[in-house]
Amino acid sequence: MEAAPPEVPRSLLEADLPTLRSFIVARGGKPFHAKVLRRAVLERGVLAYERITDLPAGLRAILEEELPIFSGRLVDERTAADGTHKLLIEFPGRGESETPISVETVHIPPARPERDPNKGATLCVSSQAGCPVACPFCASGLLGLARNLRAHEIVEQYVRGRALGPLSRSVVMGIGEPLLNYAQLSAALDTVRDEMGLGGRKLTVSTVGFPDRLRRLAPDKPRFQLAISLHTPDQEQRDRLVPAMAGVPIEEVLAAGDDWFEKTGREVTYEYVLLGGENDSEGHALRLRERLSGRRCSVNLIPYNPTPELPFYRPESGSPEYFRDVLVDGGLTATIRWSRGLEGAAACGQLRLVR
Ligand code: SAH
């Protein structure tokens, strides 16, 4: 059972507005200081109390002493040659039974900044510590699920990520299966949209596509773009490649995607990791084309990013292009996504849980 929230918040991001207000008032501040504080940190990205000069100095000193901005701690960071920056953030456990866990967040600057100087980075955030889905090609599920991230831990990834440079987009495509931690994710995304100004079409959530969960979300005003990891047109193969979805007919996943489009007016993107010799044949492309034909959607083909301990490899050169052309010739929209951050192990499927 989840422990009751502490009366004294352990970090600023963990405290909701009423909690923050009473904390501040109890220390001689004014109720409106709570909003000033959240605005400074979330909207303007000021990450040191001493620089929030619209608060009284005495209050700033108390905050400095008693209320860290973050609950997490940056334990490692790496920049790849292409500018992709990976953060490893450790979050404490709550109570005695929980050990600290670390998750990864990746800041991906635009590939060709000269094309559009106003374009900011894409931030890739994690939704769970580890992942219970256990796709055999993905590093994120190698240790299973440690625990769900809490809303403020997801928000913290955004705040720390934005401190590395302005964001234009964000994708919930880091560690974890977002729909298995939807309540916390959803609370976090509200904060990110309302207080940090990043949401709607600029935000993509990627999932293996549990049909009933998707249907429960769809009536919502769409707060994000939806990506569904499909990976193969063949049932038996999907049961193996996405074990948590074994037995769920591909047609049901696609039907839930169609419903999403009907209810939200936003097209679904199907993700397809291209695994050499596994799901990258012409037959796969033709069967995928058949499955998707007539549907309003697009396909992102992701050539596999290798993980040393896993027995999968990248398709041969030229094969992703051929695969794409088969889809495009059938009237589909398909794009190849060459991952960034490969050599820093910051690319799709290379992010992992550390404990
Ligand atoms: N669990 C969610 C979020 C992960 S998003 C989901 O599965 O959709 C990351 C995307 O990268 C998913 O489509 C995932 O299947 C894919 N992926 C996983 N491992 C990969 C790898 N090693 N190389 C390329 N893509 C990978």
Side-chain angles (χ1 to χ4, degrees), residues 25 33-34 72 76 100 159 171 258 289 325:
V25 169
H33 288 147
D76 195 14
V159 176
V171 293
D258 293 344
R289 175 166 120 175
D325 292 346

Side-chain angles (χ1 to χ4, degrees), residues 108 209 247 250 287 312 351:
I108 310 157
I250 290 176
R287 291 192 296 280
F312 294 93
L351 305 185

Side-chain angles (χ1 to χ4, degrees), residues 137-138 173 176-177 206-208 229 231 271 273 304-305 348-349:
F137 53 87
C138 179
M173 295 191 181
E177 166 46 48
S206 174
T207 169
V208 294
S229 295
H231 303 326
E271 293 164 278
V273 57
Y304 184 61
N305 303 312
C348 301

Side-chain angles (χ1 to χ4, degrees), residues 70-150:
F70 298 128
S71 67
R73 187 166 75 86
L74 189 63
V75 286
D76 195 14
E77 57 184 317
R78 268 175 222 187
T79 313
D82 63 8
T84 299
H85 197 114
K86 183 166 79 166
L87 302 179
L88 182 66
I89 308 169
E90 181 187 271
F91 293 111
R94 195 176 267 180
E96 300 217 326
S97 56
E98 268 186 28
T99 51
I101 47 88
S102 300
V103 299
E104 299 185 307
T105 305
V106 187
H107 184 268
I108 310 157
R112 296 181 202 85
E114 65 286 354
R115 281 200 187 168
D116 178 1
N118 293 323
K119 190 167 169 201
T122 298
L123 191 74
C124 178
V125 307
S126 297
S127 56
Q128 296 185 303
C131 183
V133 177
C135 302
F137 53 87
C138 179
S140 298
L142 287 175
L143 297 176
L145 175 72
R147 68 167 169 85
N148 282 329
L149 291 182
R150 303 188 165 99

